[in-house]
Amino acid sequence: GANTDTQDRLNVLADDTLHSVLAEAVEIGAALGGSYLLAAWDRDVVPDRPFLRTMHADAAWPEFSYGRLRAVTFWSVVKRDGQQVWRHLERHSLDTSGMGVIEHALYQGSEQDLGKTVPLTDVDATAPLAQLVNADRVISTGSPGLDVVYVPNRRPQRRWRNHPVGHNLGRSDLD
């Protein structure tokens, strides 16, 4: 009569994509020095549960406190039109009560300049988010703590050991 509730839940969450997501995280981490794993949910993609995503370290701006990830902002280019570039910034942090929050913002700028904030509805890739965020462009995860972790490849980062952020990062296998 062992309780199998935890194993049963893990069996549900460990779907057929979990292994490929973890393999991607390891490969990216080996090349870039680390990767990020985060919980995601989208009922149009997986209707009945959250799923795991990998984010690449070269598209992230982490914030550490005492060696622990405190917040991170991911960015991606979602549209280009001539000299104009639209970037989606997704910041994962904690609110004042320690609950996870995700802020979404869309910026219109150039290759060299982030530019100005524009409505999420200006680009098809971010338009669905406009219905999910509150007036401050924030979604609560509904859970305490961050919904993202940083997985360093190897530590210490020798080249940046005295850098305020860099010393928390891992190093590449190519280093």
Side-chain angles (χ1 to χ4, degrees), residues 17 29 46 76 171:
T17 64
V46 180
S76 59
R171 70 178 189 258

Side-chain angles (χ1 to χ4, degrees), residues 20-82:
S20 61
V21 169
L22 293 174
E24 177 186 0
V26 169
E27 288 293 323
I28 290 301
L32 299 178
S35 60
Y36 296 85
L37 292 171
L38 65 141
W41 58 96
D42 183 331
R43 293 191 192 285
D44 293 333
V45 176
V46 180
D48 59 344
R49 66 188 179 287
F51 54 94
L52 199 60
R53 290 173 53 199
T54 299
M55 300 298 282
H56 300 187
D58 62 348
W61 187 259
E63 299 170 37
F64 292 95
S65 182
Y66 300 102
R68 297 190 178 256
L69 187 65
R70 183 175 51 138
V72 61
T73 301
F74 300 111
W75 70 88
S76 59
V77 173
V78 292
K79 182 178 176 182
R80 292 180 194 274
D81 185 8

Side-chain angles (χ1 to χ4, degrees), residues 35-164:
S35 60
Y36 296 85
L37 292 171
L38 65 141
W41 58 96
D42 183 331
R43 293 191 192 285
D44 293 333
V45 176
V46 180
D48 59 344
R49 66 188 179 287
F51 54 94
L52 199 60
R53 290 173 53 199
T54 299
M55 300 298 282
H56 300 187
D58 62 348
W61 187 259
E63 299 170 37
F64 292 95
S65 182
Y66 300 102
R68 297 190 178 256
L69 187 65
R70 183 175 51 138
V72 61
T73 301
F74 300 111
W75 70 88
S76 59
V77 173
V78 292
K79 182 178 176 182
R80 292 180 194 274
D81 185 8
Q83 300 296 318
Q84 296 294 305
V85 178
W86 286 259
R87 291 177 184 85
H88 173 217
L89 273 63
E90 177 180 326
R91 184 172 194 276
H92 297 252
S93 62
L94 300 176
D95 66 13
T96 56
S97 65
M99 297 295 282
V101 293
I102 307 167
E103 180 182 355
H104 291 277
L106 182 63
Y107 288 82
Q108 181 182 357
S110 66
E111 284 293 332
Q112 296 78 27
D113 183 43
L114 182 59
K116 63 180 180 173
T117 307
V118 296
L120 291 166
T121 53
D122 282 6
V123 174
D124 290 343
T126 56
L129 295 169
Q131 297 175 11
L132 302 174
V133 298
N134 64 18
D136 296 322
R137 300 181 320 246
V138 173
I139 299 172
S140 173
T141 66
S143 298
L146 284 177
D147 64 333
V148 59
V149 295
Y150 175 66
V151 183
N153 183 46
R154 290 187 295 161
R155 283 192 178 150
Q157 171 47 270
R158 295 181 295 222
R159 291 182 184 178
W160 294 347
R161 70 181 188 282
N162 295 317
H163 187 278

